[in-house]
Amino acid sequence: MRPVPRRRLTAPRASLARALGVVSLSFAAVAGAPVQAGVFNPETFTLDNGLQVVVVENARAPIVVHTVWYRAGAADEPPGKSGIAHFLEHLMFKGTPTVPSGWFSKIVAANGGSDNAFTSQDYTAYVQRVASDRLELVMRMEADRMANLRLTDEKVAPERGVVQEERRQRTGNSPAAQLYERRRAVTYLRHPYRIPVIGWKREIDGLTAEDALAFYRRHYAPNNAILIVAGDATAARVRRLAEKHYGPIPRRPVPGRVRPVEPDQLAARRITMKHPRVHVPSVSITWRTPSYAAGETRHAYPLLLLSDILGGGSTSRLHRRLVIEEKAAAGAGAGYLGIALDMGEFSVSASALAGGDIVRIEALLKEEIERVVEHGVSEAELTRTRRAMLAGAIYARDGLRAAPRVIGRALTTGQTIADVEAWPERIRAVTAAELQDAARAVFVERRSITAVLLPGPPG
Amino acid sequence: MGSGLRACAGALLLAFAAVWPAAATEIQRVRSPGGIEAWLVEDKSVPVIGFRFSFRGGGALDPRGRSGLANMVSALLDEGAADLDSQAFQRALEDIAASIGFDAGRERFHGTLRTLSEHRARAFGLLRKALAAPRFDAEPVERIRRQIAAGIESGKDNPRRIAGRAWSGLVFGDHPYARPLAGTQRDVAAIAVEDMRRFVRERFVRDGLTVGVAGDISASELARRLDEVFGELPLSGVAAHLPEPPPVRGGMEIVRKPIPQSVVVFGQAGVKRDDPDYYAAYVMNHLLGGGRNSRLNEELREKRGLVYSVHTYFRLFHRAGTIVGQLATANARVGTALDLVRGEWKRMARDGVDADELAAAKRYINGSFPLRLDSTRSIAGMLVAIQLNRLGIDYIDRRPALIDAVTGEDIRRVARRLLSPDRLVIVVVGDPEGLESTR
């Protein structure tokens, strides 16, 4: 009954902020689970104008989820215009000649459906959930705003206020979120992943209708988009409707996704923030890593399994050591964010008990990292974590949410459908030796970024 | 927006009828040999079982000086039971990739099991142990106590939490409905293992147990499993009674905090679930602040950019109904935002709604309801909610007609009865400009 705020900004990479609390990565792996071969069984084809279409048929209920993903996110923004990808996502609801400002969601709702949108560093996505006999309606409107968005400064002004309040709500009021933002900024010297998806405040203030339209014209083309439909619709029906509504939109040249190269990290980095509204200290240590699509990608699956062994739930190493045995932390976790076009991040984190000793907690985190580098993991640990992840691939079929999300995120970050479908095989194939190799390659002291949040006056 | 919607959407609106997941309408009533009832939606399309249940009594019944008891029990049931200590229990769950969870509400204690159907025998066995023979070993008890204490401590400057607490305090005073479910530091420190054992004995009983199940399990097998899981529990426990909450008085409280954005909670007495005007009030709330295209959203967000989100919803209790809203806006704009809220409150009570917006709201409410029932988890949860509210096994089929029957006159009547800006209870946490507490 409590509606999710519309046009939610999700930065999947931001889940690290949550890792400062108690994190269960095995759950994250389930939620983000790509999928067992023969599980999603998607059908895919490409229209003449370059629009890739993916259909995951599931006739369990007469419902469809219709999603369009653009290969454009915050990391594709021009310099000085931070936040424009996300701002445009909001402005995509501000009208075309046939669907006036504000009516998109109203029409979806009046047809018994719900809609949303979200922006990350590497993609922007639009989602509608409707009865399957409403598929054509939402397709017609989504195709319309792919080509015919109209913006004026008058329409844009109140929405800028909305985004400023969104920023205050997410970051301004939360010391942990402020530290997270700063931590990202020091993780990357050069690469745009250093910039928050929502944008820096001063730059949001200056964003105009023309800035949004420029980003729109540059990136929102059928050949830069993916249509994913899951639910009660056959591939033949989706193809017919997609050709009718998306087919006429002409292909346009789109820029390559070439971003500045991040230089190697030569010195460990550390930031400490004190805040009077913080009452329980916390710490995280982060390393940049290969992603599923970039760098030494052979390390990606081992890193995913390692994150679960270190930080997935009550039997994980970090929980057992820091929370149970040493009684030092209230929670401890680990996360691997490998779904990224240019590079990933691995991070471990823990929050203290009231009045707890954060120095000791940091030392314990480092000891556990050292232990993996030196001694690897046991076969028993590997077997358990593998089993949990493979089950996650089955749970992902229970409901319509997972399929579009998993496939959309993969296809906008350099992976293919074959990669998504091969997920279980690749999880099964990871060996303990590969896991230790990945740990050795990633957990290098000089490449670490440590962020500490402490109570007290800012100084 | 009414006539505009018709004009604009005319081309796009097709003949509309609510659709339902075929499976969700085929609810079976399952009764075990031992007399335990469950509602089941059988669906073999995915080899997964979603299982949800609820016992009578929650944190509002925590004894004086032991606030947080129900919550602490909910955190400890999967930390060791029968022959398995904490790590052994967690490992056993992990070995079959099943999950068991408990949550203490204010008036009910809920549990959830999710398992692959191939591992159901072991999963139900673990659930049985957790309910019938939790161990409460010293290590997990003290660990969970430390974690809860850290949670209370770290949340004490969270503006949303402060606002919610203060609002409940203003509305319910000393009534248990105002009590924080996590408890106070002092009470949590005092909870003894014997308190938790007594809780388990008195609350985990078959009387008042409600069960909803969806997925890959047959009715005959479920009947057997119900006795296996719950059959050892006592038939009945200690009768619990909550007093009537006090009447609600309007007013505003400012909690000063140096933050850039004020968090506002506002609301007043509303309807209870069994009120004859419940459905009229539900549709009215959807139009006022419940829906994404509500009047409050239109005025505060779309037209003026004052908020990222503003919404209202019903917080329902056995002995009280409330309508509550939340928004957050820059300190300089809180006064403006609240004036707009009061204005919409007044306008709804004075003018009601027009026919077109009412029709659009009904289409949304009826159309979107079944869209949520796409997973075993969501269906099992819905089956429990329908039983708890005594809506009848045919509720999913009847609901559209209940919504469609709401007229503009019903909404005017219920809005006049409920909405009064003078009776609004408002809490602002932040540094709002030009506002003072009035109570």
Side-chain angles (χ1 to χ4, degrees), chain B residues 31 88 94 102 122 146 155 168 173 189 192 213 220 227 252 292 299 324 342 347 371 396:
Chain B
R31 183 171 271 273
E94 215 171 74
F102 301 95
R122 286 161 75 187
R146 290 194 299 271
S168 294
V213 187
S220 57
D227 280 348
M252 177 152 65
R292 289 183 182 181
E299 294 302 316
V324 194
R342 289 192 193 94
R347 180 159 79 100
L371 303 188
I396 290 182

mmCIF file of all heavy atoms in Angstrom, chain B residues 31 88 94 102 122 146 155 168 173 189 192 213 220 227 252 292 299 324 342 347 371 396:
data_model
loop_
_atom_site.group_PDB
_atom_site.id
_atom_site.type_symbol
_atom_site.label_atom_id
_atom_site.label_comp_id
_atom_site.label_asym_id
_atom_site.label_seq_id
_atom_site.Cartn_x
_atom_site.Cartn_y
_atom_site.Cartn_z
ATOM 1 N N ARG B 31 -7.342 -28.836 5.209
ATOM 2 C CA ARG B 31 -7.449 -29.074 6.654
ATOM 3 C C ARG B 31 -6.656 -30.329 6.986
ATOM 4 O O ARG B 31 -6.842 -31.375 6.366
ATOM 5 C CB ARG B 31 -8.922 -29.236 7.046
ATOM 6 C CG ARG B 31 -9.144 -29.409 8.543
ATOM 7 C CD ARG B 31 -10.622 -29.351 8.878
ATOM 8 N NE ARG B 31 -11.065 -27.988 9.134
ATOM 9 C CZ ARG B 31 -10.993 -27.397 10.324
ATOM 10 N NH1 ARG B 31 -10.472 -28.038 11.346
ATOM 11 N NH2 ARG B 31 -11.430 -26.174 10.493
ATOM 12 N N ALA B 88 24.997 -24.875 13.177
ATOM 13 C CA ALA B 88 24.497 -26.108 12.557
ATOM 14 C C ALA B 88 23.137 -25.851 11.905
ATOM 15 O O ALA B 88 22.851 -26.346 10.807
ATOM 16 C CB ALA B 88 24.399 -27.217 13.594
ATOM 17 N N GLU B 94 21.334 -23.665 4.712
ATOM 18 C CA GLU B 94 22.144 -23.330 3.558
ATOM 19 C C GLU B 94 22.341 -24.542 2.656
ATOM 20 O O GLU B 94 22.352 -24.412 1.432
ATOM 21 C CB GLU B 94 23.502 -22.867 4.073
ATOM 22 C CG GLU B 94 24.123 -21.775 3.269
ATOM 23 C CD GLU B 94 25.339 -21.268 4.010
ATOM 24 O OE1 GLU B 94 26.365 -21.976 4.013
ATOM 25 O OE2 GLU B 94 25.246 -20.190 4.615
ATOM 26 N N PHE B 102 11.392 -14.736 10.391
ATOM 27 C CA PHE B 102 10.314 -14.387 11.314
ATOM 28 C C PHE B 102 10.265 -12.883 11.461
ATOM 29 O O PHE B 102 11.296 -12.220 11.437
ATOM 30 C CB PHE B 102 10.558 -15.016 12.688
ATOM 31 C CG PHE B 102 10.656 -16.516 12.634
ATOM 32 C CD1 PHE B 102 11.892 -17.137 12.532
ATOM 33 C CD2 PHE B 102 9.516 -17.293 12.649
ATOM 34 C CE1 PHE B 102 11.993 -18.515 12.457
ATOM 35 C CE2 PHE B 102 9.600 -18.677 12.577
ATOM 36 C CZ PHE B 102 10.839 -19.289 12.484
ATOM 37 N N ARG B 122 13.155 -31.621 4.375
ATOM 38 C CA ARG B 122 14.136 -31.082 5.322
ATOM 39 C C ARG B 122 13.764 -29.669 5.750
ATOM 40 O O ARG B 122 13.954 -29.290 6.907
ATOM 41 C CB ARG B 122 15.527 -31.121 4.705
ATOM 42 C CG ARG B 122 16.087 -32.543 4.672
ATOM 43 C CD ARG B 122 17.208 -32.679 3.684
ATOM 44 N NE ARG B 122 18.457 -32.079 4.170
ATOM 45 C CZ ARG B 122 19.546 -31.955 3.419
ATOM 46 N NH1 ARG B 122 19.532 -32.367 2.163
ATOM 47 N NH2 ARG B 122 20.636 -31.420 3.919
ATOM 48 N N ARG B 146 23.405 -7.744 21.495
ATOM 49 C CA ARG B 146 24.371 -6.696 21.109
ATOM 50 C C ARG B 146 23.965 -6.058 19.776
ATOM 51 O O ARG B 146 24.059 -4.851 19.585
ATOM 52 C CB ARG B 146 25.782 -7.295 20.931
ATOM 53 C CG ARG B 146 26.475 -7.743 22.184
ATOM 54 C CD ARG B 146 27.971 -7.991 21.927
ATOM 55 N NE ARG B 146 28.256 -9.028 20.949
ATOM 56 C CZ ARG B 146 28.393 -10.326 21.231
ATOM 57 N NH1 ARG B 146 28.236 -10.761 22.482
ATOM 58 N NH2 ARG B 146 28.681 -11.200 20.286
ATOM 59 N N GLY B 155 20.316 4.047 14.966
ATOM 60 C CA GLY B 155 19.140 4.675 14.370
ATOM 61 C C GLY B 155 18.635 5.876 15.134
ATOM 62 O O GLY B 155 17.668 6.516 14.712
ATOM 63 N N SER B 168 3.733 8.452 16.422
ATOM 64 C CA SER B 168 3.004 7.407 17.152
ATOM 65 C C SER B 168 2.779 7.820 18.601
ATOM 66 O O SER B 168 1.727 7.540 19.177
ATOM 67 C CB SER B 168 3.777 6.087 17.123
ATOM 68 O OG SER B 168 3.826 5.593 15.813
ATOM 69 N N GLY B 173 -0.102 8.001 22.638
ATOM 70 C CA GLY B 173 0.278 8.250 24.030
ATOM 71 C C GLY B 173 0.986 7.056 24.653
ATOM 72 O O GLY B 173 1.967 6.555 24.113
ATOM 73 N N ALA B 189 18.208 -4.944 27.341
ATOM 74 C CA ALA B 189 19.263 -5.472 28.217
ATOM 75 C C ALA B 189 18.678 -6.404 29.276
ATOM 76 O O ALA B 189 19.356 -7.304 29.768
ATOM 77 C CB ALA B 189 20.014 -4.317 28.885
ATOM 78 N N ALA B 192 15.260 -11.791 29.586
ATOM 79 C CA ALA B 192 15.916 -13.034 30.016
ATOM 80 C C ALA B 192 15.461 -14.178 29.125
ATOM 81 O O ALA B 192 14.410 -14.112 28.483
ATOM 82 C CB ALA B 192 15.552 -13.329 31.472
ATOM 83 N N VAL B 213 -0.186 -20.797 1.622
ATOM 84 C CA VAL B 213 0.856 -21.542 0.919
ATOM 85 C C VAL B 213 0.643 -21.400 -0.584
ATOM 86 O O VAL B 213 -0.496 -21.435 -1.061
ATOM 87 C CB VAL B 213 0.810 -23.045 1.299
ATOM 88 C CG1 VAL B 213 2.004 -23.780 0.703
ATOM 89 C CG2 VAL B 213 0.755 -23.226 2.806
ATOM 90 N N SER B 220 -2.944 -32.729 -0.464
ATOM 91 C CA SER B 220 -2.857 -33.856 0.478
ATOM 92 C C SER B 220 -1.513 -33.831 1.205
ATOM 93 O O SER B 220 -1.434 -34.100 2.401
ATOM 94 C CB SER B 220 -3.065 -35.172 -0.261
ATOM 95 O OG SER B 220 -2.113 -35.292 -1.291
ATOM 96 N N ASP B 227 0.522 -30.782 10.077
ATOM 97 C CA ASP B 227 0.597 -31.450 11.375
ATOM 98 C C ASP B 227 2.042 -31.642 11.802
ATOM 99 O O ASP B 227 2.393 -31.524 12.975
ATOM 100 C CB ASP B 227 -0.116 -32.811 11.318
ATOM 101 C CG ASP B 227 -1.629 -32.656 11.453
ATOM 102 O OD1 ASP B 227 -2.070 -31.539 11.814
ATOM 103 O OD2 ASP B 227 -2.355 -33.626 11.183
ATOM 104 N N MET B 252 0.962 20.116 16.253
ATOM 105 C CA MET B 252 2.235 19.967 15.551
ATOM 106 C C MET B 252 3.391 19.947 16.531
ATOM 107 O O MET B 252 3.433 20.726 17.469
ATOM 108 C CB MET B 252 2.422 21.108 14.558
ATOM 109 C CG MET B 252 3.763 21.066 13.841
ATOM 110 S SD MET B 252 3.716 21.827 12.197
ATOM 111 C CE MET B 252 3.384 23.502 12.634
ATOM 112 N N ARG B 292 0.213 7.092 -7.254
ATOM 113 C CA ARG B 292 1.344 7.843 -7.789
ATOM 114 C C ARG B 292 0.917 9.112 -8.489
ATOM 115 O O ARG B 292 1.718 10.004 -8.714
ATOM 116 C CB ARG B 292 2.111 6.975 -8.766
ATOM 117 C CG ARG B 292 2.828 5.895 -8.042
ATOM 118 C CD ARG B 292 3.625 5.114 -9.018
ATOM 119 N NE ARG B 292 4.286 4.028 -8.319
ATOM 120 C CZ ARG B 292 5.074 3.177 -8.928
ATOM 121 N NH1 ARG B 292 5.282 3.294 -10.209
ATOM 122 N NH2 ARG B 292 5.643 2.224 -8.250
ATOM 123 N N GLU B 299 0.116 18.376 -6.691
ATOM 124 C CA GLU B 299 0.320 19.731 -6.174
ATOM 125 C C GLU B 299 1.751 19.951 -5.665
ATOM 126 O O GLU B 299 2.334 21.003 -5.910
ATOM 127 C CB GLU B 299 -0.679 20.015 -5.038
ATOM 128 C CG GLU B 299 -2.132 20.062 -5.488
ATOM 129 C CD GLU B 299 -2.385 21.121 -6.563
ATOM 130 O OE1 GLU B 299 -1.878 22.249 -6.422
ATOM 131 O OE2 GLU B 299 -3.082 20.792 -7.553
ATOM 132 N N VAL B 324 -2.004 8.083 7.388
ATOM 133 C CA VAL B 324 -0.701 8.691 7.661
ATOM 134 C C VAL B 324 -0.040 9.084 6.354
ATOM 135 O O VAL B 324 -0.139 8.354 5.371
ATOM 136 C CB VAL B 324 0.244 7.684 8.361
ATOM 137 C CG1 VAL B 324 1.450 8.415 8.938
ATOM 138 C CG2 VAL B 324 -0.468 6.913 9.438
ATOM 139 N N ARG B 342 -2.795 20.692 3.890
ATOM 140 C CA ARG B 342 -4.052 21.064 4.553
ATOM 141 C C ARG B 342 -5.101 21.463 3.520
ATOM 142 O O ARG B 342 -6.280 21.131 3.644
ATOM 143 C CB ARG B 342 -3.816 22.239 5.513
ATOM 144 C CG ARG B 342 -3.012 21.850 6.739
ATOM 145 C CD ARG B 342 -3.057 22.978 7.785
ATOM 146 N NE ARG B 342 -2.056 22.761 8.815
ATOM 147 C CZ ARG B 342 -0.821 23.300 8.797
ATOM 148 N NH1 ARG B 342 -0.462 24.117 7.813
ATOM 149 N NH2 ARG B 342 0.020 23.026 9.766
ATOM 150 N N ARG B 347 -10.050 20.377 0.590
ATOM 151 C CA ARG B 347 -10.736 20.304 -0.698
ATOM 152 C C ARG B 347 -11.448 18.956 -0.862
ATOM 153 O O ARG B 347 -12.581 18.891 -1.338
ATOM 154 C CB ARG B 347 -9.717 20.494 -1.837
ATOM 155 C CG ARG B 347 -10.321 20.433 -3.230
ATOM 156 C CD ARG B 347 -9.432 21.116 -4.255
ATOM 157 N NE ARG B 347 -8.307 20.282 -4.685
ATOM 158 C CZ ARG B 347 -8.295 19.585 -5.825
ATOM 159 N NH1 ARG B 347 -9.349 19.615 -6.633
ATOM 160 N NH2 ARG B 347 -7.245 18.869 -6.160
ATOM 161 N N LEU B 371 -1.603 -7.748 -10.433
ATOM 162 C CA LEU B 371 -0.241 -7.700 -10.973
ATOM 163 C C LEU B 371 0.794 -8.022 -9.903
ATOM 164 O O LEU B 371 1.921 -8.384 -10.199
ATOM 165 C CB LEU B 371 0.072 -6.313 -11.557
ATOM 166 C CG LEU B 371 -0.839 -5.775 -12.654
ATOM 167 C CD1 LEU B 371 -0.262 -4.491 -13.223
ATOM 168 C CD2 LEU B 371 -1.029 -6.790 -13.768
ATOM 169 N N ILE B 396 -10.820 -12.481 -3.563
ATOM 170 C CA ILE B 396 -10.127 -12.012 -4.770
ATOM 171 C C ILE B 396 -11.125 -11.835 -5.913
ATOM 172 O O ILE B 396 -11.012 -10.919 -6.720
ATOM 173 C CB ILE B 396 -8.976 -12.967 -5.142
ATOM 174 C CG1 ILE B 396 -7.862 -12.821 -4.081
ATOM 175 C CG2 ILE B 396 -8.427 -12.675 -6.525
ATOM 176 C CD1 ILE B 396 -6.634 -13.657 -4.336
#
